[in-house]
Amino acid sequence: MDGGDAVAEYHVDWPWLLTGPDPRGDEALRGIKEAKSAPDRERWLAVLSDAATSADPAAVERYAIGLAQAGRYAESLRFWRLLVDHLPGTARVLLNMASCLMSAGRLDECSHVMEECARRCRDDDPAYPVVRRRRAELEQLRGRLDREQRLLEARADAYRELAAQGRASLSDLKELCRILAGLARQPGSGVTASEVTEVAERIHALAPDDAGGLELLAMARVLTDDRNGLAEVLRRLERVAPDSPVLAAVRAQVTDPGFRERSDELKRRWDDICRRASHGDPGAEDELRRELRSHPHVEQLRIGLLFAVYGRAADGRGDYEEARRLALELAADPRAGHHTHFHVAQFLWNLGERDQARRQFTLALATSESEEDRESVRLAARTVGAQIGDPAGGAGG
């Protein structure tokens, strides 16, 4: 899937700058770099973590480097920020923080850190030549990526035109999907994950058992953080192409600690946006809508918008029509899970859509994974006065 590899293709490898000898810590860093499995990486990280409890800056730096080498960039950056605050005049720390951002592909932030590093670094500082060289390398990299992005955008426009005219072949659509996926990962491209998904689903509709199409659909599910959809695509891909390198790569990515960390960080950010939107923050609701344009199938965001719109209507700052539309769209989604059915049932009942609400309560019961979930559904139904059938036998209400 070469369309998504523009940053990786031109990646600049900036060596870490260490201070003082630390045989055990340096051995652990080599161990993480050479580790063949996640348990091996975690074992070496534990060595660095134990050493970092001493609060010795050199030990904390090595732990931050180890986290970055393991792909846990967000956690690594938290330590680099602490170190920058603790050692404000040390150019080496800022250079290492920039290395972490470079490895994470966060080039804009990397550029800001390098500018700060150049501002703080004196001409007689031993790190000054490194600062100058890395700033030049970064500018060169960004220039190449800008040119690459413009070329990709032009190619995407050409394939879009073919598709709009109905003249795009299956291979044309696949190439368009690859290019869009690459652009979607680059800030400022204007390409959203939903556009990638739309093209991938069009390919899948034309050729349901095509291995390449399923690989592209899996990539789209990763971009939109659609875990349930991804699992289904991987099951299909395993049936038609069990030796698919994409199948192996996506599974490795999903189980990688760095991927889980990035996913958890994104979920926490979405939780915060949904919470603020439900409390009536108009800026948060706008932010929530922007996230949904990029991740249209994420249950957490869709339910969060429903809460926000319904709450605004209940407070007299809007009407209920958009809330009703959102709830009905969620109810009609065949991918909806237990939590969607549970929340939508209550919204629809309060909005007067009683038959739809009963159906959602029943689906919430059917998709419950525990007796605690089932009891919550029965209690909610009794609270609003809904009579529902219980798939486990008996009736609620």
Side-chain angles (χ1 to χ4, degrees), residues 39-246:
D40 282 345
R41 284 195 298 272
E42 292 303 310
R43 180 168 57 84
W44 287 115
L45 271 174
V47 173
L48 295 173
S49 176
D50 288 344
T53 58
S54 67
D56 174 22
V60 176
E61 284 187 56
R62 283 172 168 79
Y63 183 41
I65 291 170
L67 288 167
Q69 288 183 166
R72 291 163 59 173
Y73 301 115
E75 192 173 348
S76 176
L77 284 168
R78 285 197 289 273
F79 283 102
W80 289 122
R81 292 188 182 102
L82 288 171
L83 286 162
V84 168
D85 291 340
H86 185 68
L87 303 168
T90 308
R92 187 197 68 257
V93 174
L94 283 167
L95 285 167
N96 281 335
M97 183 176 179
S99 293
C100 180
L101 289 164
M102 171 66 76
S103 298
R106 295 161 64 166
L107 299 189
D108 287 342
E109 295 170 77
C110 180
S111 181
H112 292 318
V113 171
M114 287 304 301
E115 288 172 9
E116 178 66 13
C117 188
R119 188 182 66 80
R120 295 187 186 188
C121 190
R122 301 185 312 274
D123 291 356
D124 60 350
D125 190 312
Y128 184 70
V130 180
V131 174
R132 288 190 61 187
R133 184 174 66 251
R134 291 191 178 182
R135 287 188 79 195
E137 290 172 348
L138 178 59
E139 286 308 306
Q140 184 181 30
L141 171 63
R142 296 187 73 177
R144 295 171 75 181
L145 290 176
D146 286 343
R147 292 192 293 274
E148 177 75 9
Q149 181 165 323
R150 288 195 295 272
L151 287 172
L152 287 174
E153 287 169 348
R155 290 179 64 199
D157 287 341
Y159 282 115
R160 283 186 182 116
E161 183 65 22
L162 280 177
Q165 294 173 0
R167 297 191 296 117
S169 66
L170 186 63
S171 61
D172 290 335
L173 291 173
K174 287 181 179 179
E175 186 62 15
L176 173 60
C177 193
R178 294 187 190 99
I179 293 170
L180 292 176
L183 291 171
R185 295 187 179 98
Q186 298 186 31
S189 72
V191 175
T192 64
S194 58
E195 184 180 5
V196 180
T197 299
E198 182 181 342
V199 177
E201 289 180 341
R202 181 174 174 182
I203 293 167
H204 182 58
L206 290 171
D209 293 325
D210 182 84
L214 285 167
E215 288 173 347
L216 290 169
L217 189 57
M219 175 180 62
R221 296 291 186 254
V222 170
L223 283 174
T224 56
D225 199 43
D226 182 358
R227 297 297 186 89
N228 292 334
L230 176 61
E232 176 58 29
V233 173
L234 293 181
R235 283 193 291 270
R236 294 181 193 173
L237 188 55
E238 190 166 44
R239 287 198 296 270
V240 302
D243 59 344
S244 163
V246 172

Side-chain angles (χ1 to χ4, degrees), residues 10 42 121-122 166 189 283 288 322 324 335 351 360 388:
Y10 299 125
E42 292 303 310
C121 190
R122 301 185 312 274
S189 72
L288 180 53
E322 185 180 9
R324 178 177 285 104
R335 292 167 297 192
L351 291 167
Q360 291 298 304
I388 59 172

Side-chain angles (χ1 to χ4, degrees), residues 269-285:
R269 185 164 69 83
W270 285 344
D271 281 340
D272 178 63
I273 296 171
C274 291
R275 177 186 57 77
R276 289 187 286 111
S278 69
H279 291 165
D281 181 343
E285 186 176 324

